[in-house]
Amino acid sequence: MTAFQAFVLGIVQGVSEFLPISSSAHLVLVPWALHWPDPGLSFDVALHVGTLIAVLWYFRAEWARLARAAVKLASRGGRPAEGDAGVEERRVWYLIIATVPGAIAGKLLERQADEAFRSPLLIAATLMVMGVVLWVVDIRARQTRPLKALTARDAVVMGVAQILALVPGVSRSGSTITAGRALGFDRDSAAVFSFLMSMPIIAGAALLKVPHLLASGVAGVPLAVGITASAVSGWLAIAVVLRYVKSHSYGAFAVYRLLLGAAVLALAAARHAYA
């Protein structure tokens, strides 16, 4: 892999991780469409280190509050304070709860995620289906619940929704935002908790995959370039999405998913016809 290819894939990862359009799908489709070698799931996960940096930096004030809350929580034996005083402490628990389903499923379905799930036709189908689901849910959902209204049940539902993102095309942010909207959270709150949820799951995946990538000898300038591009573009994507959804629906992202899915099907059909 060249540094230029890593740079392009880093930007693709950073932008598409926080937009509900599936970063994993784009990391498979871009090399496929451009006839580049598939870098594999380990390289994809390594690029997620860049978006991990982005979400840690963008929400640094929130992470600082959560860290202080975690210390207080530990001092009380895991029991959050009552009322508004315990909002951040409860959110620590909710992030843990939301992470568990995806972590278990990721370990059990690791081989399928690395091989069987990376089919362009499957990705096209999931892009389009989840695009429709996101659109319908977003249009019909009420917008009354703020982030501080989050409960353990909500965390479980959004955590289970995160499992679907093991299939490229579904989108981790797309599935969790859709679940959040279905639970009645306003667009901004659904997006913020979705982004916060990305930190532990990305960090865990990186701890598992990056050592294998380093051992394979793929690391070096291309990897550093890709991670840097992912971090910068990821930070910008978070800022754009959070500003955009304050006054717009997720409809534009749904339309993009439908158009991309149709384009993938058309390209696959053309290649089959001329094979």
Side-chain angles (χ1 to χ4, degrees):
M1 170 169 291
T2 67
F4 173 74
Q5 291 171 342
F7 175 74
V8 171
L9 293 177
I11 292 177
V12 167
Q13 162 61 26
V15 171
S16 57
E17 174 65 30
F18 299 110
L19 273 59
I21 57 175
S22 180
S23 63
S24 56
H26 284 73
L27 290 176
V28 173
L29 293 175
V30 169
W32 173 74
L34 297 177
H35 296 285
W36 292 352
D38 184 352
L41 184 60
S42 292
F43 188 82
D44 293 359
V45 171
L47 291 182
H48 280 67
V49 173
T51 46
L52 175 61
I53 294 170
V55 79
L56 286 173
W57 180 250
Y58 190 92
F59 293 105
R60 59 192 181 279
E62 177 67 13
W63 290 120
R65 289 194 294 269
L66 289 171
R68 290 193 294 269
V71 172
K72 292 179 181 178
L73 196 60
S75 69
R76 294 197 192 91
R79 295 186 300 276
E82 297 294 330
D84 290 343
V87 168
E88 295 293 344
E89 294 170 26
R90 288 191 292 274
R91 194 170 299 161
V92 171
W93 268 122
Y94 298 157
L95 283 172
I96 295 172
I97 292 170
T99 300
V100 171
I104 294 173
K107 186 61 178 176
L108 294 176
L109 299 174
E110 182 179 5
R111 178 169 297 179
Q112 290 87 338
D114 202 5
E115 299 171 5
F117 291 165
R118 295 172 72 86
S119 162
L121 293 181
L122 174 62
I123 291 172
T126 52
L127 277 169
M128 299 175 79
V129 170
M130 284 302 298
V132 172
V133 173
L134 171 63
W135 203 345
V136 171
V137 169
D138 186 50
I139 290 173
R140 296 189 175 186
R142 53 196 173 93
Q143 291 199 72
T144 57
R145 299 183 67 193
L147 187 57
K148 66 179 182 180
L150 190 75
T151 66
R153 171 181 169 273
D154 300 324
V156 170
V157 172
M158 295 181 75
V160 170
Q162 192 165 233
I163 295 175
L164 300 175
L166 288 171
V167 181
V170 170
S171 170
R172 192 207 60 78
S173 60
S175 61
T176 52
I177 287 173
T178 300
R181 294 289 292 126
L183 291 167
F185 287 97
D186 61 69
R187 294 185 177 107
D188 185 59
S189 296
V192 168
F193 192 68
S194 170
F195 297 163
L196 293 176
M197 284 174 61
S198 72
M199 190 281 284
I201 205 73
I202 291 175
L207 286 174
L208 289 175
K209 288 291 185 179
V210 171
H212 295 291
L213 189 66
L214 296 174
S216 70
V218 178
V221 173
L223 183 60
V225 169
I227 290 176
T228 302
S230 175
V232 175
S233 58
W235 188 92
L236 290 172
I238 295 174
V240 169
V241 169
L242 292 182
R243 175 169 294 187
Y244 179 84
V245 300
K246 288 183 183 297
S247 56
H248 298 81
S249 75
Y250 287 100
F253 303 113
V255 171
Y256 173 81
R257 294 174 66 105
L258 291 171
L259 292 176
L260 179 60
V264 171
L265 293 176
L267 180 57
R271 287 185 176 178
H272 180 73
Y274 290 100

